[in-house]
Amino acid sequence: MQQFQSLQRLLIFYTLTLLAMLSVYYFTMFYEIRQDNKQDSIESFYALQYEISELANPNNTDIKKVLKKPFLKDISYQLIFMMPSGQTYIHRHTRPNEREFRGITFPNVIASLPSSSNHYSASTVNNNALIGTIELESGHKIYTILRHKPLDINWISYRYWLPLMIAIMFFTMALLYTLKRRANWEQLLVYTDELSSHAKDAYITPPFIENKTTAEFLRLGHALSRISYQLHNNHRRITTLKHRLERLVDHAPLPMLMIMRHGQISFFNQRFEQVFATPFQSDSNYQLTDFVFSEDETTQALLYKLVELRVTRTLLVYGLHNKKAYQLHITPWFGEHGQVHGFTVLLNNINEMVNQSADLQQRNQQLQRQLDEFNTLKSTMGHDLRLPLEAMIDTLEPIDPSTLTAKQNKTVTILIQTSHSMLTMLNDMLDIGEIEVRKARLNIEAVDLYKLGQEVSQSVVERTKNQGLELLYFFTPDSPRCIDTDHKRLQQILRNLLDNAVKFTTAGYVALTIDTVSNTEVLSIKNRTLIDINKDTNTPENTDINKENASHAAHDWVRFSIKDSGIGIDIAKQHQLLTYLNQNNNQNNRQSQSSQANNPSKNQNLNYIQHNSTEKGLGLNNANSFARLLGGFIEIKSTVAKGSTFNLYLPCKRPNYQPVYHLNPHLTQIHLLAVIKQPLRADYLRRLCAYLSIPATISTFIDRSTLQQLRERLAKEKQSLAPILLLDYEYYEEVNIALSNQALASDKDIDFEKIKSINTENIAALHKKAEDELSVYIDRQQALNSLLADTALPKILVSMKAERRIPSMLLDRCDGFLNKPIDVALLLSELLRLTLAVRQTLIQPENIEEDTKENTQENSSQLVTAVDEASSETLAPLILVVEDSLTNQKIACKILAKLGYRSVVAEDGQQALDKLKEQRQEIALILMDCRMPVMDGLQATQAIRAQGDDIPIVALTANNTEEDRSTCLQVGMDEFLAKPINKLKLQEILQTFIKN
């Protein structure tokens, strides 16, 4: 039966099904019998209650009469009758073959007397008996125990033996059917073994066709016979086709050949012999390159090394003798194990087609030049025609209809509608969809400038990384968090200017800074702006914009500075660009376009400026227009080869001063040591530390003398401040690369030809200069290595590169890592986390009032309170990570460490329960994987909730579906987080559930 395992499994499944059905039947039947017996006891109790309640003042004789009634005939009972005088009577009755009642039991059942009844009664039912209490209004009490009837199984009854007999009958039928199918399979297998595709030339019927068998076996046997016969026919057909194919290939009108794996030609047809005038000789060693060549070097190399070709290719080649062009179609053919055995090649004469293609290409180039000229003309026409239409629209729309007569209002309305229709038609004709700058409609609302700056900066992070640039973003602490403006337009302006800065910067940095300026400062900015300030209505001469900003009267304008270290713009082009954009964007400029038509030289100059502005600042005209629509303007500062600065000024309307960088008294106990490559970033960090009162030593380089001074200062502050190092990886990389380059340069051989033209003093000076530069970089590298070797000093590494691209040796020596542009919240969190252990051991200052002489008494008391709170700072919250994957454990713990949390790991649900039991007071939240061995996350969560523990549990799962989310929430989890873990989403969840 082993070779018929499918039949065996089918029989076992059928048997188990019958057994399961029998078990369910007998269980249900016995359960119903037991329930009936319980119901009989309940009915007997209610009958006894009714009989006794009918007696006004019963005595023992009355009770005996009641007990002799039929409803207690077949029930074992114990009845305790207690009279008001305290006299007690006990009555018992036990069915045959049942144990006697032992002892006297007073049921503990509480009853209450309804207002409309003259007796109390209560009862409880268990698996064996009914226990009840009856108390009459006269003071008589009856305690009774009624045993349930035992299970009485009468196996002679059909309801007990009939299902079993039916199951046995069905099992016998299944067994007989299985044995019959086994015999059929044995016959079919024997018949299959005897079939031979080479011996059967006719259709042979199955041997069991005359026996009684099922239809599927007959059909299977017929199918096997037909397959056997068809195989033989296919073999004969393949042989015929092989001979036919040989004749077709040999007489084909196109040159065809076969090439072996190593490039040797094994066969070519008669047409190939005619075209290349070479008869085929089996003993000759022909190569494909003996007949054709390619003008393309890559194709020619492929012809020499066909063994590397594994896909079908179509190549352009030329005959060596006739110089005609051929289309060579080469296809590799593979063996059964996937290795290349050879190639089939087909040559097609396309010489005439190549000549025609060359002529068409030449004509196409001429047409393309004409098309480019037409596109240029179309762009110029669109620009020149759109400007007066937009100026007309901007002039007409602000007119107040209430100040006009009906006729004038109708005329203005017609002019506005006609102008819009003409502008729409012009845009449709020129295929322009999003260039209606002047026609833009603003949506003024409160805009969060800090978040907007972050979003715009993040949009160019990848581009700056790819170009090797540093990206800087700084929001000055005293700037308003929100102002009223158009979010979309402001975002477009900043993104436009930032994209251009990245585009035209090949090395260095790109920075976005947001700060505030006053009207006085804006008045000094005239010639560098993209508008004529003296004629613009948005000039700071109108100071009404600050009526709602009395607390910050100097904050009249918000300045967005986009600064880069790119190629810059010279002074002449700046003036040309300003003149061109002012003429095109000034709403009050109503000059006639006819003057431009009469002055060709001026038009040429404008075209040049337009082309130049398009190259340097793509969409600068649009950005300037949007800035004017928002009531602001753009300023240009640029120096050739040093970079450019584009400042966007917007009026500070209805500012909201929400804190961006939150003050923390613990930060005053930290001494930040920062080595930053970029001076502008170092300046930003100094301003931030000054605002947050963080003692800081920030420099753009460090050498041994500076390091010695720093160590002396740290030694003095050892008991009062916790030091921490912030190292710029780009500075570290610059020092190492420069040192390597200097070492290589010093090892190069001197060019003796150049020595002849240089005197001895110059040579000595060059050597001296090289040695000085080398000593400087060696000094800086030694200082860096000394800092990194200090294990007691916490270190944070910052870089534009991803963490995986930083050398692991350097990462192991650092305690934290942050990406640029630096997220201030993450930086402060890392500073507090890494200095926590040292800060807890610091000596608090005895007299805080001396450091705050300028503060009031109230402020001094608040500062003392803050320091007291800082001294009692607790450890960071502990997170339990339940994850069976070692890689996922490391990733989760690393992310938690960066967010400022401690972590402990459990590999399965059972370990999680043990860890939670040991460290429940410390653990603040659980990150629970759903699928784990031993005990999965769902079971572990149910066990935790069953213990009454309400600790927050966050599900971790790779299946981010609504069904999985619903399942996790049903078992008691609080939140759902999909893998791979999103750092920002995890931080948001932790902040939600961990309040302190």
Side-chain angles (χ1 to χ4, degrees):
M1 197 71 177
Q2 292 183 354
Q3 60 179 341
F4 302 101
Q5 294 184 2
S6 59
L7 295 176
Q8 185 178 4
R9 287 194 294 267
L10 182 62
L11 183 61
I12 292 174
F13 174 75
Y14 190 78
T15 303
L16 292 176
T17 303
L18 289 176
L19 291 176
M21 294 176 64
L22 281 176
S23 301
V24 171
Y25 173 79
Y26 283 117
F27 174 79
T28 304
M29 183 177 63
F30 293 150
Y31 178 79
E32 290 180 354
I33 294 175
R34 181 175 292 275
Q35 292 298 114
D36 292 342
N37 292 340
K38 289 183 179 180
Q39 188 62 32
D40 291 343
S41 299
I42 293 172
E43 292 176 356
S44 300
F45 176 75
Y46 284 128
L48 177 63
Q49 172 187 331
Y50 174 77
E51 293 293 337
I52 294 176
S53 63
E54 292 295 322
L55 302 175
N57 190 14
N59 53 31
N60 190 41
T61 304
D62 297 332
I63 296 300
K64 287 182 179 180
K65 291 180 181 180
V66 171
L67 293 177
K68 290 180 180 180
K69 292 193 176 183
F71 62 85
L72 293 174
K73 180 179 181 182
D74 296 329
I75 295 179
S76 298
Y77 60 84
Q78 173 181 282
L79 188 142
I80 302 174
F81 176 58
M82 183 178 294
M83 302 185 69
S85 60
Q87 188 174 1
T88 303
Y89 301 93
I90 299 174
H91 302 277
R92 293 175 175 170
H93 175 260
T94 306
R95 287 187 294 266
N97 299 325
E98 285 192 13
R99 59 182 177 82
E100 298 290 339
F101 288 96
R102 296 181 180 180
I104 299 174
T105 302
F106 291 91
N108 186 18
V109 180
I110 301 174
S112 60
L113 180 63
S115 59
S116 60
S117 178
N118 61 350
H119 65 279
Y120 298 88
S121 66
S123 63
T124 59
V125 180
N126 55 31
N127 292 331
N128 298 320
L130 182 145
I131 302 173
T133 302
I134 302 173
E135 184 176 352
L136 300 181
E137 190 176 11
S138 58
H140 296 79
K141 295 182 180 180
I142 295 94
Y143 302 97
T144 179
I145 298 176
L146 303 180
R147 286 181 180 174
H148 304 320
K149 292 181 181 179
L151 293 176
D152 186 11
I153 301 175
N154 184 11
W155 292 103
I156 301 177
S157 175
Y158 73 91
R159 63 188 298 189
Y160 297 103
W161 58 264
L162 182 59
L164 182 62
M165 297 304 295
I166 293 174
I168 294 173
M169 180 183 66
F170 279 124
F171 175 76
T172 304
M173 293 172 61
L175 182 62
L176 294 175
Y177 177 76
T178 304
L179 294 175
K180 182 178 179 182
R181 294 296 294 268
R182 176 186 176 185
N184 291 336
W185 276 111
E186 288 179 346
Q187 292 178 349
L188 185 61
L189 292 175
V190 171
Y191 171 69
T192 304
D193 293 338
E194 294 176 352
L195 288 176
S196 174
S197 60
H198 298 286
K200 297 293 185 298
D201 294 337
Y203 175 75
I204 304 299
T205 58
F208 50 86
I209 194 170
E210 297 179 356
N211 298 334
K212 292 182 179 180
T213 185
T214 55
E216 59 268 21
F217 280 95
L218 293 176
R219 294 176 62 183
L220 188 58
H222 287 300
L224 289 173
S225 296
R226 286 194 299 270
I227 291 172
S228 176
Y229 179 70
Q230 190 65 35
L231 285 175
H232 181 72
N233 285 342
N234 289 341
H235 176 71
R236 288 187 301 177
R237 187 167 179 269
I238 289 171
T239 304
T240 303
L241 291 175
K242 179 181 178 182
H243 294 296
R244 187 182 302 168
L245 183 61
E246 290 176 354
R247 292 193 296 270
L248 287 174
V249 171
D250 198 43
H251 296 86
L254 296 177
M256 302 176 64
L257 62 154
M258 298 287 294
I259 302 178
M260 301 301 292
R261 179 173 180 270
H262 297 290
Q264 182 181 358
I265 297 177
S266 60
F267 166 79
F268 51 77
N269 63 356
Q270 294 181 5
R271 181 58 181 165
F272 188 89
E273 294 178 357
Q274 296 171 4
V275 171
F276 294 96
T278 303
F280 178 75
Q281 297 178 3
S282 59
D283 56 344
S284 299
N285 187 11
Y286 297 114
Q287 299 288 333
L288 183 59
T289 53
D290 296 337
F291 302 98
V292 297
F293 73 97
S294 176
E295 296 179 350
D296 182 31
E297 295 181 359
T298 305
T299 305
Q300 186 67 20
L302 180 62
L303 295 178
Y304 278 109
K305 295 182 180 180
L306 291 177
V307 67
E308 299 177 358
L309 182 65
R310 299 188 65 85
V311 295
T312 300
R313 296 287 299 274
T314 301
L315 309 173
L316 178 63
V317 297
Y318 298 88
L320 280 174
H321 300 290
N322 55 19
K323 306 300 180 182
K324 292 184 178 180
Y326 294 92
Q327 187 183 52
L328 185 145
H329 188 81
I330 181 169
T331 303
W333 50 278
F334 303 90
E336 58 181 340
H337 299 294
Q339 69 277 18
V340 176
H341 279 189
F343 306 91
T344 60
V345 179
L346 180 68
L347 291 169
N348 188 15
N349 191 338
I350 58 170
N351 191 61
E352 183 178 356
M353 186 184 301
V354 170
N355 294 334
Q356 293 177 355
S357 177
D359 294 339
L360 291 174
Q361 187 174 4
Q362 186 176 2
R363 296 179 184 177
N364 186 40
Q365 291 176 355
Q366 296 176 353
L367 293 174
Q368 186 63 41
R369 285 195 295 270
Q370 296 176 1
L371 184 60
D372 292 340
E373 294 175 358
F374 175 76
N375 288 334
T376 304
L377 177 62
K378 184 179 71 171
S379 177
T380 304
M381 289 177 58
H383 182 270
D384 294 341
L385 292 175
R386 242 184 359 265
L387 287 178
L389 285 175
E390 292 173 351
M392 185 183 298
I393 293 173
D394 288 339
T395 303
L396 294 174
E397 285 189 343
I399 297 177
D400 187 2
S402 61
T403 62
L404 304 176
T405 63
K407 185 176 181 180
Q408 291 173 338
N409 189 20
K410 183 177 180 181
T411 303
V412 170
T413 303
I414 293 174
L415 287 174
I416 293 175
Q417 293 176 353
T418 305
S419 300
H420 280 294
S421 300
M422 292 177 64
L423 186 60
T424 303
M425 291 174 60
L426 180 60
N427 289 339
D428 293 339
M429 289 173 59
L430 299 177
D431 193 19
I432 299 172
E434 298 295 334
I435 311 182
E436 296 182 19
V437 178
R438 294 275 183 177
K439 190 184 167 186
R441 294 297 178 263
L442 302 181
N443 181 21
I444 303 300
E445 59 184 359
V447 177
D448 189 330
L449 301 182
Y450 177 74
K451 289 186 178 180
L452 178 63
Q454 280 188 325
E455 293 171 0
V456 174
S457 300
Q458 288 298 323
S459 66
V460 297
V461 165
E462 291 302 323
R463 288 182 57 192
T464 54
K465 287 183 179 179
N466 295 335
Q467 294 181 213
L469 304 177
E470 285 197 41
L471 179 62
L472 291 77
Y473 171 64
F474 184 67
F475 186 91
T476 54
D478 60 340
S479 298
R481 180 71 178 267
C482 301
I483 64 171
D484 283 359
T485 187
D486 188 302
H487 181 277
K488 181 179 179 181
R489 302 307 179 195
L490 178 56
Q491 186 180 51
Q492 287 175 341
I493 298 172
L494 296 179
R495 186 167 295 174
N496 185 299
L497 297 176
L498 204 57
D499 285 343
N500 285 334
V502 174
K503 179 178 180 181
F504 296 98
T505 304
T506 57
Y509 68 93
V510 174
L512 170 61
T513 307
I514 303 176
D515 58 359
T516 56
V517 294
S518 63
N519 282 337
T520 305
E521 295 176 83
V522 173
L523 282 172
S524 63
I525 305 169
K526 295 183 178 180
N527 298 326
R528 296 189 302 270
T529 61
L530 294 184
I531 63 170
D532 188 358
I533 296 181
N534 295 328
K535 297 181 181 179
D536 192 74
T537 58
N538 296 320
T539 60
E541 295 176 359
N542 184 2
T543 58
D544 292 342
I545 57 177
N546 282 323
K547 289 182 177 179
E548 300 175 5
N549 193 16
S551 60
H552 297 78
H555 294 179
D556 303 309
W557 297 79
V558 177
R559 177 171 57 192
F560 304 83
S561 297
I562 291 87
K563 187 175 182 180
D564 64 76
S565 58
I567 60 178
I569 310 173
D570 60 24
I571 299 298
K573 290 183 179 179
Q574 287 185 49
H575 286 302
Q576 292 173 345
L577 180 60
L578 292 172
T579 303
Y580 171 72
L581 291 173
N582 287 340
Q583 290 177 353
N584 289 338
N585 290 292
N586 195 343
Q587 294 181 8
N588 299 322
N589 184 8
R590 310 265 181 110
Q591 295 179 353
S592 174
Q593 302 298 324
S594 61
S595 62
Q596 297 182 10
N598 297 328
N599 193 350
S601 61
K602 187 176 181 180
N603 290 336
Q604 293 176 1
N605 186 35
L606 291 181
N607 290 334
Y608 167 75
I609 299 299
Q610 181 181 5
H611 177 71
N612 182 70
S613 65
T614 302
E615 287 184 347
K616 174 58 187 173
L618 181 63
L620 185 57
N621 186 11
N622 294 350
N624 184 43
S625 299
F626 281 144
R628 291 170 57 78
L629 285 174
L630 297 178
F633 58 94
I634 296 177
E635 175 195 18
I636 297 177
K637 295 180 181 179
S638 183
T639 305
V640 176
K642 291 187 178 180
S644 305
T645 301
F646 283 76
N647 293 328
L648 168 66
Y649 293 86
L650 291 183
C652 190
K653 296 181 179 179
R654 298 186 60 183
N656 185 354
Y657 290 86
Q658 297 179 7
V660 175
Y661 312 117
H662 299 280
L663 300 175
N664 190 328
H666 305 312
L667 294 173
T668 60
Q669 299 175 300
I670 298 173
H671 186 178
L672 177 61
L673 314 175
V675 183
I676 305 297
K677 174 186 175 183
Q678 182 52 246
L680 187 59
R681 190 185 299 278
D683 179 63
Y684 290 170
L685 190 58
R686 289 190 190 96
R687 295 167 66 180
L688 177 65
C689 292
Y691 175 76
L692 296 175
S693 301
I694 302 176
T697 303
I698 302 170
S699 62
T700 56
F701 73 95
I702 187 168
D703 53 21
R704 282 181 293 181
S705 62
T706 308
L707 180 61
Q708 182 61 30
Q709 298 174 4
L710 188 61
R711 290 192 184 280
E712 293 175 0
R713 179 178 175 182
L714 293 179
K716 296 178 181 178
E717 300 171 346
K718 184 176 181 180
Q719 301 298 326
S720 59
L721 294 178
I724 185 170
L725 174 65
L726 184 70
L727 177 60
D728 192 341
Y729 175 73
E730 276 66 30
Y731 171 81
Y732 174 89
E733 191 176 40
E734 180 188 39
V735 171
N736 285 274
I737 292 175
L739 191 60
S740 301
N741 293 339
Q742 290 290 334
L744 291 174
S746 63
D747 293 337
K748 288 184 178 179
D749 294 332
I750 300 175
D751 190 351
F752 291 99
E753 295 294 332
K754 295 183 178 180
I755 289 178
K756 295 178 181 180
S757 61
I758 303 176
N759 56 32
T760 307
E761 294 180 359
N762 292 336
I763 294 175
L766 291 174
H767 279 290
K768 182 67 168 59
K769 181 179 179 181
E771 290 175 359
D772 292 341
E773 291 178 355
L774 184 61
S775 63
V776 168
Y777 285 112
I778 291 175
D779 189 14
R780 294 182 178 182
Q781 187 185 49
Q782 290 177 353
L784 270 180
N785 292 337
S786 178
L787 278 176
L788 292 172
D790 189 355
T791 57
L793 178 66
K795 308 168 194 69
I796 302 175
L797 190 67
V798 295
S799 175
M800 285 297 295
K801 295 183 179 180
E803 188 174 3
R804 63 179 181 276
R805 298 179 60 187
I806 305 298
S808 58
M809 182 176 64
L810 178 59
L811 284 176
D812 294 338
R813 301 171 74 176
C814 298
D815 305 284
F817 179 84
L818 294 175
N819 276 118
K820 300 177 186 175
I822 299 175
D823 188 333
V824 176
L826 290 179
L827 173 61
L828 299 180
S829 175
E830 285 294 275
L831 294 179
L832 292 173
R833 180 179 69 87
L834 296 177
T835 59
L836 176 61
V838 178
R839 285 187 288 110
Q840 290 179 336
T841 63
L842 296 179
I843 299 176
Q844 302 299 327
E846 297 178 358
N847 189 4
I848 298 179
E849 294 180 356
E850 294 180 359
D851 298 331
T852 57
K853 293 180 179 180
E854 298 178 358
N855 296 338
T856 61
Q857 184 65 31
E858 181 181 356
N859 292 334
S860 298
S861 62
Q862 292 177 355
L863 184 57
V864 172
T865 304
V867 173
D868 293 339
E869 292 176 357
S871 62
S872 61
E873 182 181 359
T874 60
L875 293 175
L878 181 64
I879 309 299
L880 174 59
V881 180
V882 187
E883 173 65 63
D884 60 328
S885 171
L886 182 60
T887 302
N888 292 341
Q889 291 176 6
K890 293 181 178 179
I891 292 174
C893 293
K894 199 167 189 179
I895 294 176
L896 289 172
K898 287 185 177 182
L899 295 177
Y901 296 90
R902 296 180 297 143
S903 59
V904 62
V905 176
E907 296 183 356
D908 54 59
Q910 186 58 50
Q911 288 189 16
L913 295 177
D914 298 339
K915 293 278 186 184
L916 188 63
K917 185 177 181 181
E918 296 171 1
Q919 300 176 270
R920 180 60 187 92
Q921 298 300 323
E922 295 184 69
I923 297 175
L925 183 139
I926 301 176
L927 295 178
M928 182 79 72
D929 185 21
C930 290
R931 291 173 175 80
M932 294 178 294
V934 183
M935 178 186 289
D936 61 25
L938 302 179
Q939 296 172 342
T941 302
Q942 290 176 333
I944 294 172
R945 296 305 185 220
Q947 297 172 2
D949 197 338
D950 59 349
I951 184 172
I953 302 177
V954 179
L956 293 178
T957 177
N959 299 327
N960 189 9
T961 62
E962 289 298 330
E963 183 179 356
D964 291 326
R965 182 186 297 272
S966 176
T967 303
C968 293
L969 297 179
Q970 286 178 1
V971 299
M973 294 185 177
D974 300 284
E975 190 51 82
F976 182 91
L977 190 60
K979 297 179 184 177
I981 300 175
N982 183 289
K983 184 178 178 180
L984 297 178
K985 181 65 175 176
L986 176 60
Q987 183 180 16
E988 181 182 345
I989 291 175
L990 294 177
Q991 291 175 351
T992 301
F993 289 102
I994 303 177
K995 301 301 181 183
N996 298 321

